[in-house]
Amino acid sequence: AIKEKGYDNILFATEAVRVIDEHDRSKPLFLYLAFTSPHTPFQAPEEYLKRNGHIGDETRRSYAAMISVMDDGIGRVVAALEKHGMRENTIIVFHSDNGGVVDSFFSGESAVKGKLPADNGPYREGKGTTYEGGTRVVGFINWPGRIKPGVADGMMHVVDMYPTLAALAGASPGRNKPLDG
């Protein structure tokens, strides 16, 4: 029943905060947190729908509310890291896996009607395609005091981060073939 009401991302954030709260800080922590927002079905808790009530289109309002749930969840995770003195020694990687869905064919099993709420700006198409609207997404890496702010606008894929993140963690790719990254 909770997922049907759009609470799944609240549960994900709550569990992530619990893991951080209970973590033995003498050991490293790897936390992979994959929110399901803003995928179909486009739904969110009532409080978030009200927060985005200024958006007239119902589907777009639900979409924005889902992003607000995710944003609040990320804020809770960062606050937990700060509370336990872990933020300065934590690398945060945030990125999407695809552009917004603009064709109902790629919206999943949920029935959708009308104009889909995603907007990929000037880019052609969206999720499920190899056009820029489907593959060009925002992402960032943050590590306070260790990574200087900057912009990388070249082409890359999430797997390109692996060698760098492994090296930062003190891990060796071992027997793997040589990797770019």
Side-chain angles (χ1 to χ4, degrees):
I2 290 203
K3 182 165 176 50
E4 291 173 9
K5 295 180 182 177
Y7 284 90
D8 50 340
N9 290 301
I10 292 173
L11 293 174
F12 294 157
T14 299
E15 179 64 10
V17 169
R18 185 197 63 75
V19 167
I20 293 166
D21 286 345
E22 295 177 4
H23 178 67
D24 175 357
R25 276 162 277 304
S26 69
K27 298 178 181 177
L29 171 66
F30 175 81
L31 177 66
Y32 177 79
L33 176 57
F35 289 98
T36 57
S37 289
H39 290 88
T40 58
F42 300 124
Q43 57 188 9
E46 189 62 34
E47 66 183 278
Y48 287 91
L49 293 169
K50 287 179 182 175
R51 186 191 301 181
N52 289 277
H54 61 284
I55 301 172
D57 178 81
E58 183 180 346
T59 305
R60 186 117 177 114
R61 180 174 47 254
S62 295
Y63 189 80
M66 292 174 77
I67 293 170
S68 296
V69 170
M70 182 175 58
D71 187 50
D72 284 359
I74 292 166
R76 291 175 53 213
V77 169
V78 171
L81 291 168
E82 290 172 349
K83 173 183 165 186
H84 295 291
M86 298 169 68
R87 182 63 189 101
E88 294 76 27
N89 199 27
T90 299
I91 300 169
I92 293 178
V93 178
F94 181 90
H95 66 87
S96 180
D97 56 346
N98 51 253
V101 62
V102 295
D103 183 330
S104 62
F105 181 79
F106 297 110
S107 66
E109 296 178 12
S110 300
V112 293
K113 38 188 169 167
K115 184 177 181 328
L116 290 167
D119 183 344
N120 296 313
Y123 304 118
R124 181 177 175 185
E125 295 296 332
K127 177 181 179 173
T129 72
T130 56
Y131 294 110
E132 280 190 282
T135 60
R136 188 176 180 135
V137 298
V138 67
F140 71 81
I141 299 176
N142 176 269
W143 192 5
R146 304 291 283 276
I147 297 176
K148 293 180 182 179
V151 174
D153 58 6
M155 188 182 303
M156 82 177 232
H157 188 270
V158 67
V159 298
D160 293 325
M161 291 187 250
Y162 170 64
T164 301
L165 293 174
L168 289 172
S172 170
R175 295 183 182 178
N176 293 342
K177 294 181 180 181
L179 299 169
D180 289 336

